Amino acid sequence: QVQLVESGGGLVRAGGSLRLSCVASGGFYSITMGWYRQAPGKQRELVASQSMTDGSTSYADSVKGRFFIFRENIKNGVYLQMNKVQPDDAADYYCNMKWRAHPWGETFDAWGQGTPVTVSE
């Protein structure tokens, strides 16, 4: 069974930094890992993602140059380094992994339980 466990959320002052981590367990071929966020009354949006094959990354325009995603292959993990955090970054952050049971098989989504990020001004 594929499971994602997140940690690192909490309270951060505007302009400060925070690091989120996500570790995956279970038998799988990981395709991409990434972070989404959802603020109250808003849709869930992609923040950043990274390919587990070639390491390429993508970011939402709102976080480019401030947030950085990087993987930890040994732990099957991915981190989100959040710098220069702004009030609009406050949300529940969810780790996501797209995975397959076999390299040629169907792609599935796995989600973490979510970790809250609160920003104080």
Side-chain angles (χ1 to χ4, degrees):
Q1 182 178 357
V2 176
Q3 188 174 20
L4 302 180
V5 178
E6 302 145 337
S7 61
L11 177 66
V12 59
R13 182 168 292 186
S17 298
L18 198 64
R19 179 179 292 188
L20 307 182
S21 67
C22 174
V23 177
S25 62
F28 52 83
Y29 290 90
S30 179
I31 308 303
T32 65
M33 293 189 76
W35 291 91
Y36 287 70
R37 68 186 181 188
Q38 187 168 19
K42 295 186 177 181
Q43 289 188 331
R44 188 173 296 188
E45 62 174 353
L46 176 66
V47 177
S49 67
Q50 183 165 31
S51 167
M52 294 294 104
T53 53
D54 64 12
S56 59
T57 58
S58 64
Y59 295 92
D61 288 343
S62 59
V63 306
K64 282 181 180 176
R66 300 189 298 119
F67 290 11
F68 300 93
I69 188 170
F70 56 98
R71 59 187 178 181
E72 169 54 76
N73 288 335
I74 295 176
K75 295 182 179 179
N76 284 324
V78 66
Y79 302 92
L80 183 69
Q81 178 65 41
M82 306 168 59
N83 299 324
K84 299 180 181 178
V85 175
Q86 301 170 358
D88 285 349
D89 295 322
D92 290 328
Y93 283 71
Y94 296 88
C95 180
N96 169 267
M97 182 174 70
K98 299 188 185 303
W99 63 278
R100 296 172 181 165
H102 306 284
W104 56 89
E106 181 181 358
T107 301
F108 300 95
D109 272 305
W111 292 92
Q113 77 281 6
T115 185
V117 172
T118 304
V119 182
S120 64
E121 301 198 39

